[in-house]
Amino acid sequence: MIFITAKFRALPEYAERWAEITAEFTAATRAEPGCLWFDWSRSLDDPAEYVLVEAFRDGEAGAAHVQSAHFKQAQQTLPRHLAETPRIVNTTLDQDGWSELGEMAVPERD
């Protein structure tokens, strides 16, 4: 799978509306056949920073994503809401989903 984490720092006036600003892009990406997940989280330290964790089935699915109409639209609309260019980590992993974090295993509950 292609695993990507990106940090987006919104301009302060858009920070509270980031979910709304990205809603169409998020929904369209999640509907892509090769998208495994596309999840936004907000930083606990910086309320203007959002972290996007996304994964695609393979390189073909990742390429289809960046060539999609909704990605091209996001390239046009999102930057005006950002304080800086997003930062990204992108890698290919030999798995197709999440693994359990064994070091913090939760015991079975009654």
Side-chain angles (χ1 to χ4, degrees), residues 16 27 72 79:
E16 293 302 318
K72 293 178 193 307

Side-chain angles (χ1 to χ4, degrees), residues 14-37:
Y14 298 116
E16 293 302 318
R17 295 184 39 235
W18 189 251
E20 174 189 336
I21 291 165
T22 60
E24 287 183 33
F25 177 52
T26 299
T29 301
R30 287 177 176 168
E32 292 176 26
C35 179
L36 300 175
W37 58 81

